[in-house]
Amino acid sequence: MQLDPFLVNLLVRISRLPTNFPCAGFEVAATGEGTNMLTNVALKALKPGPKPYKKADGGGLFVLVQPNGTKAWRFAYRFEGKQKLLSGGPFPATTILAARAWRDMMKHQLALGLDPSQERRKAKARSSGPHADVINTFEHVAREWLETRLLSWSPRYAALVVGRLEADIFPVIGCLDIDTITPRQMLEAIRKIQARGAIEMAHRVKNHCSEIFRYAIPDGRCESDPCRDLTPALTKAPRVQHRPKVAAKDLPTFFAKLNADGAERMSHLALRWTILTMVRTQETRFAEWEEFEDLDGANSLWRIPASRMKMRSEHLVPLPRQALELLKEINDINLYRKAGNVRLGRYLFPVAYTKSRVISENRMLDIMYRIGLRGKATVHGFRGLGSTVLNESGLFKGDWVEMQLAHQPGGVRGAYNAALYLAHRRPMMQWWADYLDEAERKGRKDGVADQLW
């Protein structure tokens, strides 16, 4: 008899993990005396005989070889003084690693005073209802939940969430039936993240898991959210610290030091472009020439596609005169574009030897460090500076500034607002560009390149 579909799926998932990986509250046994005696080579070499015979792997696990050549896993154990036998899956469909993980799951049940045969019958009874064919492990439900969220997330954010779950949660509870997971198990999983000092990350992962449990409640795959009451048991997340930024009064000094820095020109242009357009560094790094419109007209525009935006909504950046001047210089130094190299030339800031094919975010940050701003300001901080300066000028509405920072709502409303405020944001961005020019002129005039921060 083969394993029921649920357990077969579970074993396949477990077979992808190292044999000493913790799962379901137990640790899969590592190779030791009297266990894990078989190998894949030895299993494949077993020949059928006139009668069925077994070959032990240890710990009660053995493979039964039938006269017709089929091989199947079995687990022998004693419960309340009685010798019992449990059937596993066939070899090689059920790998040796999966079979050993299954054996250790059964031994874990025995250690808890449970009869594995009875537990299997209970599992089959649970799966005979309306959700009989539904895979109910936490990882399966989590990946199902992720699919429903991908349309509203940027690829970068989606990769972050998947990475967090795969690194910290799936190895611990991923193979468990979602409706059997307890608050204590979730607390232990989240506290492991806390233990390495990632306090804020622990709270974020807890929130992801909570959403997954709540996603599974309406269709009956679980009855409650075990993460609901965990917050009081976790270390309190620190207060949000906004990115440090250059103060408006220090802009002349910043530009004087920037002009005195000897970095490669492309790095300087990327930094200047980021400051001038008030975008995130990711949006600068992966900018492509095809995203720009009407560069020779009165309504020049940078249309950043939704797929590259954090909030998964298209972002329109009206370009001031200074941005067009920067674009001309960026184009002049883009040798790949001049050579007709489509693969690299499509980017504003291409770098052939990087995996991403574009300038590294560290290039801009390195400039900040060299001019004395390590720990004092970040590239991202210029977005905050722009917001402060524009709001304090009293000339522009807060909604226009928020829209320029791509803090607009997503979906249809976001797209409508982006178009609605574009006419207001165009003169606002020209004012910002002129403000930066004036600060740079003041820095040259005052000769403050050697001034300390």
Side-chain angles (χ1 to χ4, degrees):
M1 183 176 69
Q2 297 184 7
L3 286 171
D4 61 83
F6 172 77
L7 287 178
V8 169
N9 178 272
L10 185 57
L11 292 177
V12 170
R13 290 174 181 274
I14 293 175
S15 71
R16 298 171 183 162
L17 303 177
T19 55
N20 64 346
F21 217 80
C23 187
F26 67 94
E27 191 160 293
V28 181
T31 303
E33 186 178 355
T35 60
N36 300 357
M37 296 183 288
L38 294 174
T39 64
N40 275 316
V41 174
L43 282 167
K44 291 176 182 177
L46 294 175
K47 303 297 182 185
K51 295 181 179 180
Y53 69 94
K54 58 185 180 181
K55 207 71 173 172
D57 187 57
L61 179 67
F62 64 89
V63 68
L64 182 67
V65 184
Q66 299 286 3
N68 64 1
T70 60
K71 302 163 188 175
W73 295 104
R74 299 287 186 270
F75 175 65
Y77 66 99
R78 295 186 70 83
F79 186 78
E80 295 182 346
K82 295 181 180 179
Q83 184 69 28
K84 295 196 170 187
L85 187 67
L86 205 57
S87 300
F91 177 84
T94 301
T95 68
I96 191 169
L97 292 180
R100 286 169 180 167
W102 170 62
R103 171 196 65 198
D104 291 332
M105 289 174 66
M106 301 305 100
K107 294 180 80 170
H108 177 63
Q109 290 180 352
L110 288 167
L112 294 175
L114 304 173
D115 180 358
S117 297
Q118 185 64 26
E119 292 305 303
R120 172 179 283 185
R121 282 193 288 273
K122 289 179 182 177
K124 285 185 176 179
R126 285 197 302 269
S127 66
S128 62
H131 301 293
D133 297 326
V134 177
I135 300 172
N136 212 37
T137 64
F138 180 86
E139 181 178 349
H140 181 86
V141 176
R143 294 194 184 279
E144 197 178 294
W145 168 78
L146 285 165
E147 287 293 326
T148 69
R149 298 296 185 270
L150 291 181
L151 287 177
S152 60
W153 288 347
S154 70
R156 181 170 176 266
Y157 181 69
L160 283 175
V161 176
V162 172
R164 291 167 188 167
L165 293 173
E166 289 182 341
D168 295 310
I169 299 299
F170 291 165
V172 183
I173 62 164
C175 58
L176 299 182
D177 192 309
I178 195 168
D179 68 353
T180 67
I181 298 171
T182 65
R184 180 56 183 262
Q185 287 172 311
M186 287 307 308
L187 181 61
E188 290 176 352
I190 301 300
R191 278 182 171 170
K192 286 181 179 179
I193 304 173
Q194 270 192 181
R196 62 175 189 258
I199 307 301
E200 187 176 348
M201 179 67 68
H203 284 268
R204 289 179 182 175
V205 172
K206 187 266 295 182
N207 291 339
H208 295 328
C209 292
S210 181
E211 280 198 49
I212 293 164
F213 284 110
R214 285 184 280 126
Y215 168 80
I217 290 174
D219 64 5
R221 283 184 283 180
C222 74
E223 295 182 359
S224 62
D225 172 15
C227 296
R228 183 185 57 198
D229 301 318
L230 293 188
T231 300
L234 298 175
T235 301
K236 191 174 181 180
R239 293 183 63 182
V240 175
Q241 296 288 328
H242 292 290
R243 306 280 184 95
K245 59 180 182 284
V246 173
K249 65 180 179 62
D250 292 326
L251 273 176
T253 302
F254 168 79
F255 281 115
K257 289 179 178 291
L258 181 64
N259 287 322
D261 180 67
E264 184 182 5
R265 186 57 181 165
M266 183 170 70
S267 302
H268 275 250
L269 290 172
L271 179 57
R272 284 178 175 273
W273 180 263
T274 304
I275 297 170
L276 183 62
T277 57
M278 296 172 61
V279 297
R280 300 176 181 90
T281 55
Q282 285 285 105
E283 290 144 21
T284 288
R285 292 175 58 221
F286 291 93
E288 298 188 27
W289 290 102
E290 66 176 16
E291 296 168 358
F292 294 89
E293 303 173 4
D294 197 25
L295 294 183
D296 296 323
N299 298 305
S300 53
L301 187 72
W302 180 17
R303 188 183 298 272
I304 309 176
S307 59
R308 292 210 299 109
M309 294 300 299
K310 179 180 179 181
M311 301 305 291
R312 199 71 172 179
S313 182
E314 181 181 71
H315 183 45
L316 307 182
V317 182
L319 299 176
R321 170 180 49 79
Q322 291 87 335
L324 298 178
E325 292 169 0
L326 277 183
L327 276 179
K328 184 178 184 306
E329 186 174 355
I330 292 168
N331 182 60
D332 288 344
I333 68 170
N334 191 329
L335 300 180
Y336 300 105
R337 182 171 167 83
K338 288 182 177 179
N341 185 326
V342 178
R343 187 172 70 95
L344 292 168
R346 64 192 177 111
Y347 297 111
L348 268 67
F349 305 103
V351 177
Y353 53 81
T354 63
K355 186 177 180 181
S356 64
R357 301 177 186 172
V358 297
I359 188 173
S360 162
E361 58 187 324
N362 290 333
R363 289 266 205 106
M364 290 181 267
L365 196 58
D366 286 344
I367 296 174
M368 304 286 284
Y369 289 169
R370 280 197 305 274
I371 63 177
L373 291 172
R374 183 188 292 270
K376 299 176 181 177
T378 64
V379 179
H380 191 88
F382 281 103
R383 285 167 54 82
L385 172 63
S387 175
T388 299
V389 169
L390 292 171
N391 278 301
E392 290 184 352
S393 73
L395 300 171
F396 313 106
K397 290 185 177 180
D399 285 350
W400 307 349
V401 178
E402 289 300 293
M403 189 63 63
Q404 187 57 45
L405 294 170
H407 289 167
Q408 77 270 24
V412 175
R413 183 184 170 206
Y416 172 75
N417 284 347
L420 177 67
Y421 294 146
L422 191 58
H424 302 289
R425 290 191 291 124
R426 190 172 294 282
M428 182 181 78
M429 291 302 290
Q430 185 59 59
W431 186 93
W432 168 243
D434 293 341
Y435 179 90
L436 294 174
D437 274 359
E438 180 58 33
E440 186 164 1
R441 276 193 293 271
K442 190 173 187 304
R444 286 200 195 96
K445 179 182 176 182
D446 296 346
V448 290
D450 297 326
Q451 183 174 308
L452 297 177
W453 294 104

